[in-house]
Amino acid sequence: MHWTLARRAARLEPSAIREILKLTERPGVISLAGGLPAADAFPVEAVREATARVLRDTPREALQYAASEGHGPLRDWVAAELAAQGLRVDAGQVLITTGSQQGLDLVGKVLVDPGSGVAVESPTYLGALQAFNAYEPEFLAIEGDDQGPRPEALAAARGARFVYLLPNFQNPSGRCIPAARRAELVQQAAAQGLPIVEDNPYGELWFETPPPPPLAAAAGDGAIYLGSFSKVLAPGLRLGYVVAPRALFPKLLQAKQAADLHTPGFNQRIVHEVVKDGFLARHLPTLRDAYRHRRDAMQAALSRHLPPGCRWQRPAGGMFFWVELPAHLDATALLPQAVAAGVAYVPGAAFYPHAAQAHTLRLSFVTATPEKIEDGVAALGRVLAAA
Ligand SMILES: Cc1ncc(COP(=O)(O)O)c(C=O)c1O
C-alpha cells in the first residue's frame, strides 16, 4: 500500500528538542536542554489531596464526558486571576485547553490558511513554529533588540493573520519586554490592523519584580491570550487556556470540539480544587525562590567557565539563559562533543523561523540542581574553549 501524505504532514519535522532529550537520557549527561520544570517543586501533596476530594465528592461527574468550553468553576477562576493582572475578561471568553500547546494549534487551525502571513519573533518558541507550521503559513520574522521586538518592524507584517508574541521571560531568550515597549507594540499592531496572539506561560515565574501587565490588557479585542498551568503547577496535568475575543470564541470552540471533545474533566476538577483557595499565592513564592537560586547558580557558573567572547543576559524570570557564542562557532555542530563531555543544551538554530543564528544556544536553569548546573556549565566551558 502506498500512503500519500497530506502536504501539511510533509511539512512536519521531528522536534529538535525531543530528539536531543533522547540523547540526554544517557547516564552521566547533565541536561540543561529540555524546558522541564523542577520536579522536586511539584505540589504532590496538594494534588493528592485534591484528587481524593474530587473522587469523594464528584466522582461520577469527574469521570463523565464534559463541556468543550471547560469546567465552569475553573473558567471563572481563570477570569478572576487575569482580572488581577489587569486583563478584564468574561469567563465566557475562556476556553480550557489540553495544555497551551493545544491552544497554539487551535489558533493556527482557525486563523491560518496556506500562504497566510504569521509574524513571529526571531528567535521564538519552537513549539509554536511547529504548531502553526502545519497550517502552511509564511513566517515573517520580526526584528528585535534587547527589549524585544521593535515596534516599527511590525509594519513589515501588515496583512499577516497575526503576530505571535511572548512578552514575559521569553522561551528561548529569557527577555522580558518593558512596559513602554509593550505600549508601543500594542499601538503599532493596532495601527497596522495586526491582531496579537500573546503566549504567557512564564509570567508568574518572576524573581525580583512582577512583569508589566499583559499586552492583551491594552489590546482588548485585538488580542488572543494563552496561559498554562504547566509551569506554575505541573505539566503532566496538561492544562492551559485560551482567552479569545467574543467574536472569535465560537470558532475556537468548534475547533476544540473537533480536536478532542474537551480537556480531561478529571484534571480540570483536580486543578480547580488545588487552586481555588489561594494555593498559588503560597506555592509561587517557594517556586520563585528555588528558581532564583538556580538562576543565580547558572549566572555564576557561566561567568566562571565560559570563555571570552560568549555573551548572555541574566534573565529576570522564567527558565532559560540564551547564550551567544563567538560568531564562528556552530552550536548544532558542537552538540555531539558537548554530550560526549557530559552536558546537553538546545542549539539556538531550532528557534528561528528563517536565517538561523548558528552561534546561539539555550540553557535551562530549572531542571538540574545548582551542583549539576556548575558541573554542566564547566563541561560546556571546556568544550567551547577547545572549539
Ligand atoms: C512559550 C511556550 N508556550 C507554550 C508552551 C506549551 O506549554 P503547555 O502545553 O505545557 O501549556 C510552552 C512549553 O514549554 C512554552 O514554552
Side-chain angles (χ1 to χ4, degrees):
M1 182 58 67
H2 175 71
W3 297 87
T4 304
L5 286 179
R7 230 171 40 187
R8 82 183 75 82
R11 284 172 73 114
L12 299 177
E13 285 166 7
S15 152
I17 295 187
R18 295 220 166 271
E19 296 304 304
I20 292 161
L21 280 177
K22 281 187 213 154
L23 284 179
T24 62
E25 280 159 19
R26 287 190 205 159
V29 176
I30 296 170
S31 180
L32 306 176
L36 305 184
D40 49 8
F42 291 155
V44 177
E45 217 28 63
V47 172
R48 199 194 319 274
E49 287 167 15
T51 306
R53 284 201 298 279
V54 168
L55 285 173
R56 185 192 65 202
D57 300 339
T58 52
R60 293 180 197 285
E61 296 87 335
L63 296 173
Q64 186 55 282
Y65 281 118
S68 300
E69 291 87 340
H71 182 50
L74 188 62
R75 298 172 79 205
D76 292 341
W77 183 89
V78 169
E81 197 65 13
L82 293 178
Q85 294 174 34
L87 212 178
R88 271 212 305 278
V89 293
D90 187 81
Q93 295 171 260
V94 177
L95 177 65
I96 306 288
T97 54
T98 308
S100 57
Q101 187 67 27
Q102 182 183 47
L104 294 169
D105 179 60
L106 299 179
V107 165
K109 194 177 248 175
V110 166
L111 293 177
V112 180
D113 284 315
S116 308
V118 168
V120 295
E121 298 173 55
S122 182
T124 190
Y125 171 50
L126 168 62
L129 291 176
Q130 287 181 305
F132 300 148
N133 193 38
Y135 301 101
E136 307 177 46
E138 288 288 336
F139 285 118
L140 309 165
I142 302 294
E143 285 169 44
D145 55 29
D146 285 355
Q147 303 208 335
R150 289 195 300 105
E152 59 276 20
L154 291 185
R158 198 180 178 85
R161 292 292 164 88
F162 58 83
V163 56
Y164 170 68
L165 296 172
L166 299 133
N168 295 330
F169 320 121
Q170 198 225 30
N171 179 3
S173 69
R175 72 95 194 86
C176 186
I177 304 180
R181 174 67 62 91
R182 289 180 195 226
E184 288 174 73
L185 283 166
V186 170
Q187 197 254 325
Q188 262 298 324
Q192 304 296 336
L194 186 62
I196 293 172
V197 173
E198 175 174 23
D199 190 6
N200 183 24
Y202 301 106
E204 291 290 357
L205 301 181
W206 50 266
F207 304 143
E208 281 83 27
T209 49
L215 302 172
D221 273 4
I224 291 176
Y225 176 93
L226 295 105
S228 176
F229 289 98
S230 291
K231 310 296 169 14
V232 294
L233 286 180
L237 295 159
R238 307 304 308 126
L239 277 194
Y241 46 90
V242 178
V243 179
R246 282 185 184 79
L248 212 53
F249 189 88
K251 282 292 162 207
L252 286 165
L253 178 62
Q254 287 151 23
K256 166 75 183 164
Q257 257 160 10
D260 64 353
L261 301 183
H262 65 80
T263 301
F266 189 43
N267 295 16
Q268 293 186 67
R269 284 169 188 269
I270 291 169
V271 165
H272 180 248
E273 272 300 309
V274 171
V275 297
K276 69 177 187 191
D277 295 323
F279 173 79
L280 285 181
R282 301 188 295 279
H283 177 59
L284 286 173
T286 321
L287 196 58
R288 291 182 191 123
D289 284 350
Y291 283 10
R292 186 190 307 106
H293 183 56
R294 291 181 186 201
R295 187 270 316 260
D296 291 345
M298 185 166 277
Q299 168 71 18
L302 291 169
S303 304
R304 247 193 311 275
H305 299 298
L306 290 205
C310 296
R311 299 195 317 135
W312 66 90
Q313 303 270 350
R314 190 186 74 146
M319 307 194 344
F320 307 110
F321 273 84
W322 180 248
V323 181
E324 289 178 46
L325 308 177
H328 68 281
L329 294 182
D330 179 334
T332 308
L334 285 172
L335 184 60
Q337 280 156 259
V339 172
V343 63
Y345 55 78
V346 183
F351 300 97
Y352 289 89
H354 309 294
Q357 304 283 307
H359 65 293
T360 56
L361 58 87
R362 189 194 75 179
L363 300 173
S364 160
F365 56 84
V366 303
T367 318
T369 60
E371 298 71 37
K372 294 278 183 203
I373 287 173
E374 167 66 19
D375 293 349
V377 172
L380 177 61
R382 287 193 293 277
V383 170
L384 294 176

